[in-house]
Each structure stands twice: as C-alpha cells, then as structure tokens.
C-alpha cells in the first residue's frame, strides 16, 4: 500500500529581521507535525526558507549600508543557522533569490499572462519618495508619512494587474465544499466574510525604475514582480514544479502553516493564483495566533523580542519545544513569559515525566539488576494498558488536527496514570516481601513498557528527549518498533532481558527565585514549648505549615540518617530530613508531605535546609522506632496551607 504523501511548509520569513519567538514557533510546529506524520506512516516533505525581495529588504539593507545581495545572504544564513539549534529537520531551505525559484516565478507569470489573467493598467496611490513605496491611508499620521514627516504625493503609475476578482466565486465554492481548507474554523469564517465583499484585482508589479530588487516580469523587463506574487510560488518551486517527480507526488498533500497576519495572501491571493495557473489547490491552510510577551506585543521598540537561541541556551531545546506546543492553543494568541516556561519545565517535565523515568529505571536497576524483567503473562493490569491505548488514540487524533496542546494533555494524563501506578503498587514494598517477586517483575515491566510508549509518542515533540529515553531503556532509536505508531504503538513490545543504560536526569529543575513572602513574626525566644504546655493562637499562626510535593530525593553522603529532598511548596526548596532510616528515596518522590516552611534555614552536612518535614513517631513491623509521614491526599496542590 502506498503511503500518504504530506508536504508541510512554513512561511518563508522576511530577511529584514532576525529570527524571533514567532518564527521559531511556526517552524517548531511544522517540524513537529512533519515528525508526527512520519510516525503516523506518511511520506513527508518539509520546507522552510526566506523571503528576500521587495521594498522592505532594500530599505533594511540600506539602513545597514550594504548591498541587498550581501544583506540577504547574511540574514538568510542567520535563519538557516538557527533551525538546527531547535532540532528542526527540514528537507529544503528555499530562498526567493534561488535560481530555480526565479525561473518558476517567471514561468507562472507567463502562463497566467498567456491565459489572459494579467493586464496592464493605471494605478493611483500615495507615494512617499523617502520610503520608495505607496502608503495606504491608515499608515499616515496627520496626513504625513510618519518616518519622513512629509505628505506623500498622489502618483498615478502604470502597472500589471492579476484578475483576482474573476476567481472569487470559485474560491468561495471551494472553501464551502472543503471545510478543512482553512482551519481552525474561525479563520475559515474570517476568509468567507472577507469574500462576501467584491474582491479587487491585485497589482502584481513595480516599475524597475523605482524598485529593481525583484524578479523581472518575463513579458516586460521594465517591471519587477510584486513580492507576494513571487513569495507564494516558493511552495511550488521547492518540490520541483512543473515536471519534477516530487511535484506530482507531494503537491496534492500540501499543508501550509502560517500565523493570522498573512491569512489574506494565503487564503485569497494564493488559491486564485493557482486557479489562474491551472494548478490544483493546496490541501490545507493551518493558521495560528500570535505570541505576545508578558501580555504585550513583541516588538523591537519595546525591547522585548525573544530570540530562539537565547531560549535554547536558558532552557534547553526540548523544554522550549514542549512549552510552545503545550502552552499555545493552536489558533489563539498566547502569552510568553519566562516564569511560564520555568513552571512547565519544573512541573510537567522535571517532576511528572522526569521522575517517572528516573524512579522507574532506578527501581529496575536496584531490584532487577538493570535488565527489563519478564512479566507474569497471566497478570495483565488492564487499567494501565487501557490508559496507554486511550493516550495513543487521542494523541493520534489531536496531533493530526493541529491541536497539539490537547495531544500533549493526553500524553500527560498517561504520565500521571503511570505515576499513580507506582504509588498504588509500591514496588519497594513488593521487593521487601520475598513472596512477591513475580508481581514486582510485572509492575516494573509495565513501567518500562509505559516509558517505551511515551518515548514513541514524544519523538515528534521532543526528539532529543525521546532518544535519551530509548537509550535509557536499552532500545535503539533506529529499531523498527520505534519508527511508526503502527509498528510500535501496541502494548508489550519491550523485550525482557534488555539491559538498561544509565542516563542522567532527563530535565534538570530550573530554580525560580522564591516568591516574596509576607514577613512572618518570629516565635518569641521563650516559647520553645514542651508537649502539654499551651501556646497563644498568634504563636501557632506564626508557624507556616504547608503541603510540599517531593520531586527529588537522595541520600546525603556519609550520613545514615539524612535524606536531601527537593520539594515544591509551591516554590522549589531543598530540605534535609532525618528519615533515611525509615524511607527509601524512591518511596518519597511524587508524595505530598507537610513542612514547616518558615523555619530559619539551617546547614546540615554542608547542605542548607530550607524548612523541616513533619513526621509522626511510630514503629515498624519489628517494633523498631520509625518515622512515619502523615498522609496528605495527592489532590492537594504543592504549597497548600495547613490551617
Ligand atoms: O510575512 N507570533 O514574513 P514574516 C507567532 N515573508 N508567529 C509569528 C509572530 C508572533 N508574534 N511573528 C511572526 C512574511 N510570526 C512573509 C511570508 S510566505 C509565502 C511569505 C511568524 O517574516 C508567523 O508564522 O513577517 C507569521 O505568519 C510569520 O512569522 C511572518 O513572518
């Protein structure tokens, strides 16, 4: 059976600015989708690139005092060098200054011209000599060009026009009969509403006497092509239009990805251009919203432009990829903040996924000599297997429909199910009980298998992390069962006997500065209370008791008594606790404990402890003293006050 061909494209970015968060988002989405489609079994091609002609670029080059050619080479290289930092694996990086592109643009112009859909006519507009372009009324401030502070001249210029209006009804019919042509639906409605008014024809040339940085019209070399008529055609050039084998293979599967700012050129100019050139329309247009920064528009003048290279340096590539896909509901605007990235990293990645991985692997290491154990064939644990199937089904649907945040939500529901599975089954208790060896093996096998499935579905989103997980599980990333969901999406493919490989933390926690707390009154010196003595209510109120979630636990070197705990309360803290004789580190991770949060920090074995864990004194089964942690329901969020 032949595989479905999918061709995903990003906008080609103007080289008048350096890559920023918005460009990075579109390109990460396209990369993730292309990897997802491969996982689904499609034959995929992925293209990105740069848009290098037109007024804007000439202006930007002039500002830098260099020739356009040198300028575009420099900035295009900046884009090209940024994408590997984000683990973007495109098949072609296209530039509108590429020779093959120039040839295809000229070919299409000629075809449309020969078909009678390009005509010569007069154009009147407000021309600013300083800007060397026509301005529209909206751009003027008090009737003047805001940059040059002069009133633009009314100019009548002869130009070439594309008969776009001729295709209006055909386009409306196509959108109506193909509900998925423009998605999400809000943008489809926006396009239909725009098309409810008569469409004007499109001016597609600029006199070369005024702008010569462009592609000459094949039928009149005194003119260059308008930048949009040039840029949109990149989608055809990149797959070898008109007669390359890739064109016939991939074009029917073309899916364009853009943000809402360029909806009109993609949903109106482009399909009508294709109609006029006698080429089938693309399959889908996916439109996303805008990233704002701390609730304000990202802009150079506000100094809040977020650079992808900085994000990777600060947080790591996979944290950024995960964050951007999880945080933005595709189609709506989203707000970027450093706190939000850190919160996602610490909660979803370091805590939920990272701990599941390290806890499971360290238990297999400890109890099964670092090899995947053989499960008991009769012992099925249906609930976990059902949760895995539900995750795969939902993931496939949501990711395929560009609802990445919901796809990831489904994955994290399974992560939570696997973490609960550890808490319910208490492998450490099974290990203590000699009778329970078969059950222990089944539980640990199921955890390894859950992690294998997670690595598989996370491949498109966090390719580096998924590979690390596979290596940790002793699976080669090239192995057959890790290539597609069809091959690897079934339960039970982990091989007993596979040796694990030691992997460091998947996601280090990122420290947040503790939020400023209201100053709490100190307990008076003379109230070091003995049991039975009374205290004032105010004294009790001064003790800040909180629920903390343990997210990391390890033995303190050279101490039999102490454990170093990393907790969220909700901010990250380190607490040293004398419970090593009563609890193994892996029993604690993921568990809620009660802490005294405003105890003066104290140094224990060289580690600063920021609080104290409360325990009850009890006895173990042999009658020996044991500290027991009071149970706090897992539904209480870290930081919940005890009152
Ligand atoms: O329009 N949030 O190029 P461009 C999200 N060359 N995405 C954003 C964004 C933001 N704040 N800012 C930019 C052009 N983007 C043309 C395209 S295609 C044939 C020609 C992303 O450099 C988003 O994908 O202005 C948007 O559509 C694109 O960058 C615009 O890039």
């Amino acid at each position: 059976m032949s595989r479905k061909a999918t061709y995903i494209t990003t906008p080609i970015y103007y080289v008048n600015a350096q890559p920023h968060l918005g460009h990075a988002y579109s390109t990460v989405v396209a990369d993730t989708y292309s990897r997802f489609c491969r996982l689904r079994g499609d034959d995929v091609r992925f293209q990105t690139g740069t848009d290098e002609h037109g007024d804007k670029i000439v202006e930007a080059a002039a500002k830098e005092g260099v020739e356009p050619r040198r300028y575009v080479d420099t900035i295009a290289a900046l884009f090209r060098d940024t994408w590997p930092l984000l683990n973007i694996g495109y098949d072609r990086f296209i530039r509108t200054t590429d020779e093959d592109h120039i040839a295809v643009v000229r070919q299409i112009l000629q075809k449309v011209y020969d078909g009678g859909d390009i005509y010569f006519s007069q154009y009147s507009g407000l021309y600013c000599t300083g800007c060397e372009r026509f301005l529209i009324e909206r751009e003027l401030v008090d009737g003047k060009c805001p940059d040059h502070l002069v009133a633009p001249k009314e100019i009548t210029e002869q130009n070439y026009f594309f008969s776009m209006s001729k295709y209006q009804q055909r386009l409306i019919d196509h959108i109506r009969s193909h509900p998925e042509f423009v998605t999400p639906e809000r943008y489809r409605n926006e396009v239909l509403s725009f098309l409810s008014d008569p469409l004007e024809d499109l001016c597609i040339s600029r006199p070369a006497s005024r702008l010569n940085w462009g592609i000459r019209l094949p039928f009149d070399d005194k003119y260059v092509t308008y930048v949009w008529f040039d840029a949109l055609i990149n989608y055809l050039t990149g797959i070898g239009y008109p007669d390359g084998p890739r064109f016939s293979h991939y074009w029917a599967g073309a899916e364009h990805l853009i943000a809402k700012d360029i909806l009109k050129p993609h949903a109106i100019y482009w399909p009508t251009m294709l109609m006029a050139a006698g080429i089938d329309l693309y399959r889908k247009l996916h439109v996303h919203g805008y990233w704002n920064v701390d609730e304000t528009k990202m802009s150079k003048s506000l100094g809040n432009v977020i650079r992808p290279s900085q994000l990777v340096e600060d947080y790591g590539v996979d944290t950024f990829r995960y964050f951007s896909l999880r945080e933005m509901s595709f189609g709506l605007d989203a707000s970027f903040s450093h706190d939000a990235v850190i919160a996602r990293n610490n909660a979803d990645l370091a805590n939920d996924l990272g701990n599941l991985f390290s806890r499971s692997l360290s238990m297999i290491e400890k109890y099964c000599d670092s090899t995947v154990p053989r499960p008991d064939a009769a012992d099925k644990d249906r609930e976990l297997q059902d949760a895995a199937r539900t995750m795969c089904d939902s993931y496939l649907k949501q990711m395929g429909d560009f609802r990445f945040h919901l796809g990831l939500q489904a994955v994290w529901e399974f992560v939570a199910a696997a973490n609960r599975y550890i808490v319910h089954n208490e492998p450490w208790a099974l290990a203590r009980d000699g009778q329970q060896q078969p059950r222990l093996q089944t539980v640990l096998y199921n955890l390894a298998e859950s992690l294998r499935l997670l690595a598989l579905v996370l491949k498109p989103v966090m390719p580096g992390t998924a590979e690390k997980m596979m290596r940790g599980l002793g699976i080669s990333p090239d192995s057959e069962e890790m290539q597609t969901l069809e091959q690897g999406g079934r339960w039970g493919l982990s091989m007993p006997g596979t040796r694990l490989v030691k992997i460091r933390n998947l996601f280090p926690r990122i420290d947040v500065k503790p939020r400023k707390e209201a100053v709490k009154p100190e307990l008076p010196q003379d109230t070091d209370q003995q049991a039975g003595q009374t205290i004032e209510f105010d004294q009790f109120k001064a003790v800040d008791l909180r629920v903390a979630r343990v997210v990391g636990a390890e033995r303190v070197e050279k101490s039999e008594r102490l454990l170093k705990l990393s907790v969220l309360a909700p901010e990250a803290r380190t607490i040293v606790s004398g419970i090593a004789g009563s609890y193994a580190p892996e029993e604690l991770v993921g568990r809620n404990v009660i802490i005294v949060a405003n105890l003066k920090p104290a140094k224990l074995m060289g580690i600063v402890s920021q609080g104290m864990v409360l325990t009850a004194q009890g006895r173990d089964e042999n009658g020996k003293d044991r500290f027991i942690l009071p149970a706090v329901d897992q539904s209480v969020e870290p930081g919940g006050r005890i009152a």
Side-chain angles (χ1 to χ4, degrees), residues 10-17 20-27 50-51 56 79 227-228 231-235 257-262 266 288-292 298 328:
T10 71
I12 48 170
Y13 306 111
Y14 284 130
V15 289
N16 64 340
H20 60 57
L21 170 66
H23 304 128
Y25 175 72
S26 302
T27 318
T50 42
D51 189 354
K56 279 189 197 229
F79 274 91
V227 67
W228 274 106
L232 289 159
I233 290 171
N234 90 83
Y235 302 134
L257 167 71
I258 58 165
K260 61 185 185 180
D261 56 335
I262 50 177
H266 280 83
H288 64 78
Y290 248 46
W291 279 99
N292 296 317
M298 183 167 48
M328 182 177 254

